[in-house]
Amino acid sequence: MSEFVWMTAVELAGLIRRGEVSATEVLQAHLDQIEALNPQVNAIVTYLPEMALELAKRADAKQARGDDLGVLHGLPIAHKDAFETKGIRTTWGSPVFSDHVPEADDLIIARLKAAGCITLGKTNVPEFGAGSQTFNRVFGATRNPHDLSRTCGGSSGGAAAALATGMIPIADGSDLGGSLRNPASFCNVVGFRPTPGRVPNVPASNAWETLGVSGPMGRTVQDVALMLQAIAGYDARAPISLQDPPSLFANNLERDFGGAKLAYSADLDGLPVAPSVTDTIEKELGAFVDLGCSIERAQPDFRDAYEIFQTLRAWSFEQSFADYFAEFGEEQFKDAIRWNVEQGRRLSGAQISRAEAKRSELFQRVREFLTEYDFLLLPTTQVPPFSIEWEYPTQINDVAMETYIDWMMSCAYITLTGLPAISVPCGFTEDGLPIGLQIVGGPHSDFAVLQLAYAFQETTRFFRRKPPICNM
């Protein structure tokens, strides 16, 4: 049954719905894959095969009765260990929550369950999702299946590694500084950061916050679109949630891109980017020309973006961790979190207000740029997957990275705009490391971004390449 683990989620969902295979059979194939490969990568950290088998049997019985089925009926999934899951341990990778069992599901989890997913466990994260290297003191590190000596990225790193190895067909994740896009790039899968409010964050301590979003991951763009049919949509508890129906993402991804005008930036006018990243991406830009697009080297004006991001991230960390520090003591949290909270404590009201004003100006500059161009293309990450022994790269092209998030700015700058962005597989370095291409669209153009990513994917087909450990 190993053939099932490499089918797309769309293919699997169709087979199950037509009765050609049962949810139990599909689940068992994925459980076998987990038992064979998870010990090598450590992607799934809370593993619940018995519970999952019972859920799959119930799903099969529901289908046999002729009941209505959700769009994700019978598909196995493991949830990011930063989402609260009712009755299932949720640790955030933190020792102070190592035994925490929530009493309710976050909205994204509730929607996935309602759509018919079969929960089999949780995927690994950095402590509280801080940093794009997935390691913590509860479960250890998650390794990159394309090179076990390297990181899978983060913070949705366990999700990306599980997808890349065929352990699950779809995964949920979240993204503030690149946590859906970065691990997707590192693991040769697809990670989509939707417009804030597309997938409502409920509950949320700051319901108006737009830096952090939840979203889908998959091995293909069509699988990401399928998942959005379940997790997108309005919720009155989220004041920024969007009214567009989730059925928007059931529309045809195929589109004629003849005449589309694309901007390509290798470095957003100054970010240090490893040559192996730009070399790999630029070899594949001709695929867009083949699709009928024109490409120009250009980028919006991102001045002040670094200051804005560091200020607003620090502010959000102080807000998020103040109560935890008071309850558990600061010493219980990793250095990077304590540093980011301290940065937040030092901020003045004037600094925060200026950062918000500059962010508004940045949005308008980028929005205007994307009236001249249909999409912006750029590297997802500034480096290829790096050693699992490093917390983060300390320099790129001899440029020092002063903080644990400096090397993530190719994603973080885009976060500030609130624009939809996707990382899609774009090839491999000479030593076999995956590289992702980031595609950014205009305001609320989520579906159009998926369409261009799909067109590129179908032209290049890099998603078909399996990690070496899957071929042994």
Side-chain angles (χ1 to χ4, degrees), residues 191-275:
F192 181 51
R193 177 189 165 89
T195 299
R198 181 71 65 194
V199 180
N201 285 330
V202 178
S205 60
N206 179 0
W208 300 96
E209 198 264 333
T210 59
L211 292 183
V213 304
S214 301
M217 302 180 77
R219 285 193 296 274
T220 68
V221 176
Q222 56 267 41
D223 292 349
V224 164
L226 175 68
M227 189 171 168
L228 280 166
Q229 295 174 48
I231 62 176
Y234 178 76
D235 189 286
R237 295 168 294 178
I240 67 168
S241 64
L242 303 179
Q243 294 280 356
D244 299 325
S247 58
L248 163 68
F249 298 100
N251 291 325
N252 190 355
L253 287 170
E254 294 183 359
R255 172 179 161 187
D256 181 2
F257 280 97
K261 190 175 180 181
L262 313 182
Y264 167 67
S265 176
D267 61 2
L268 291 183
D269 197 26
L271 291 177
V273 179

Side-chain angles (χ1 to χ4, degrees), residues 391-453:
E391 183 176 355
Y392 61 91
T394 56
Q395 64 177 21
I396 304 173
N397 300 350
D398 297 324
V399 177
M401 301 291 103
E402 300 296 339
T403 77
Y404 78 106
I405 51 178
D406 278 22
W407 67 278
M408 299 159 50
M409 292 299 127
S410 56
C411 279
Y413 283 12
I414 302 303
T415 290
L416 291 175
T417 68
L419 300 175
I422 195 167
S423 180
V424 64
C426 191
F428 296 80
T429 64
E430 291 184 356
D431 48 354
L433 299 175
I435 300 297
L437 173 70
Q438 190 172 185
I439 302 173
V440 183
H444 292 205
S445 64
D446 302 55
F447 190 70
V449 169
L450 293 175
Q451 287 181 308
L452 183 59

Side-chain angles (χ1 to χ4, degrees), residues 112-196:
L112 287 166
K113 288 182 177 180
C117 279
I118 308 298
T119 298
L120 57 80
K122 304 295 285 285
T123 57
N124 205 19
V125 296
E127 185 176 330
F128 284 102
S132 286
Q133 212 281 50
T134 296
F135 69 94
N136 60 62
R137 291 171 287 169
V138 181
F139 299 115
T142 298
R143 296 179 179 272
N144 192 313
H146 290 271
D147 183 338
L148 295 174
S149 71
R150 297 177 187 259
T151 179
C152 61
S155 65
S156 308
L163 284 167
T165 49
M167 292 193 272
I168 48 176
I170 51 173
D172 50 54
S174 54
D175 185 308
L176 193 156
S179 291
L180 282 158
R181 294 162 287 165
N182 169 285
S185 175
F186 277 16
C187 292
N188 197 48
V189 298
V190 179
F192 181 51
R193 177 189 165 89
T195 299

